[in-house]
Every structure is written in C-alpha cells, then in structure tokens.
Amino acid sequence: MSSSGDGTVAGGPYPLHDSAADLSTETIGYRGPTACAAAGITYRQLDYWARTGLVEPSVRSAYGSGTQRLYSFRDVVVLKIVKRFLDTGVALQNIRAAVQHLRARGFTDLERMTLMSDGATVYECSSPDEVVDLLQGGQGVFGIAVGVVWRDVEAALSQLHGERVDTGETLVGNNPADELARRRRDRAV
C-alpha cells in the first residue's frame, strides 16, 4: 500500500467480479430524489454534500432556483459509500479525504475496489494481501467492497426513474409496485 498524503492509502484495484461497467450508465442521469432513494440518504444530506463539494453531481449542477441537479451512476455509488462510512462512525473529514482521493484517481474502477477504515483513516486496498496486512496491524477495521455497493445501486436504480442526459427524456424504472410508473408506461405506448 502506498500513502496518498491525504489520509488515505493508494493502491491499484483488484477484481471483485468480472462484469464491466454498463456503457449506458454514461448517458443516464438521476435527479436528487432518485439518488437519495438509491443511496439511502436524505435530501438534506444530498444538498449539504453538494453545496460543500463532498459529492457534486457530475452530469448537471443546480444553477439557481428551479434547476435540478443530475447525478451519474458513479455519483450515486459514491453517495452510498459516503453513507456507509458515516453509518460506521468515520468522521466526515476523513470521508472527505477519501472522496478527494477517489476524485484524484478519476473514480475509475470503483466496482473493483475495496475500501477499509480503522475509523480514523480510509485505505484503498489493491490486493487481498494488503487487506491481510491491514488486519494484522491489530487495529479493528471494517471494509467496504465497492463491487457490492455497485450492484446494490444498480438494483435500486433499475427500479427508479432516470433521465437521458442528451434528450432529457424520463426513463421509467421497472418497479411493478409503482402505479404512477405503470400509468406513464401505458400512456407512452
């Protein structure tokens, strides 16, 4: 593991699963309420994190009243990772350092990454050996297999509404219990 100088440890990713990122995720954006539902956070948290620069929408920022932020799939994955770190007691300052590290890496290969924390520092482990080395330090740590978070977000967003980035068309999710979505689909056909 190598230190990144910002409270994180950098290393290369190792595969958690073989599936590659769906290219269609680059053409779909998610509005705030949808991002909140998929990440398990409140709109207040989402708004605060966007205003403070923790997780800003990469598709479209809000410009004045009446405009809506549009988050990419990867943004929603990062939101869920932040939520998981908060739930385990990691300080927001340390989470901010970890997100800055991910941003500096370009958020590439998120689904193939394991993030570990001892509560004070967030580490990126690039191999199973690095995870073992971290555990042998005697400190209590917990890990987030980002591939699992990735799949959780994929499943959640498949049930929710998205928006085509190029046309603004609303894409209705596949939630059979969503009466409004069913009516929109029936009306569109």
Side-chain angles (χ1 to χ4, degrees), residues 31 43 60-70:
R31 292 182 180 213
Y43 193 82
R60 182 176 64 218
S61 295
Y63 296 104
S65 66
T67 61
Q68 296 222 355
R69 297 180 184 110
L70 206 56

Side-chain angles (χ1 to χ4, degrees), residues 76-145:
V76 179
V77 170
V78 173
L79 288 168
K80 190 162 185 98
I81 290 169
V82 169
K83 168 73 166 134
R84 291 222 174 148
F85 275 132
L86 282 175
D87 287 348
T88 57
V90 176
L92 193 56
Q93 177 182 359
N94 296 330
I95 296 170
R96 191 173 297 279
V99 171
Q100 287 172 347
H101 170 72
L102 292 174
R103 193 176 291 129
R105 279 180 100 245
F107 295 109
T108 57
D109 296 324
L110 280 179
E111 75 276 16
R112 300 169 186 260
M113 183 182 301
T114 297
L115 298 173
M116 306 287 286
S117 179
D118 57 8
T121 306
V122 177
Y123 305 92
E124 176 191 337
C125 295
S126 62
S127 71
D129 292 336
E130 289 179 349
V131 173
V132 171
D133 288 345
L134 191 59
L135 292 172
Q136 287 178 342
Q139 181 89 5
V141 295
F142 65 90
I144 297 176

Side-chain angles (χ1 to χ4, degrees), residues 3 5 12 33 42 47 52 90 102 104 118 139 149 152-153 157 167 189:
S3 176
T42 66
D47 184 54
T52 60
V90 176
L102 292 174
D118 57 8
Q139 181 89 5
V149 174
D152 287 349
V153 170
L157 289 175
T167 64
V189 175

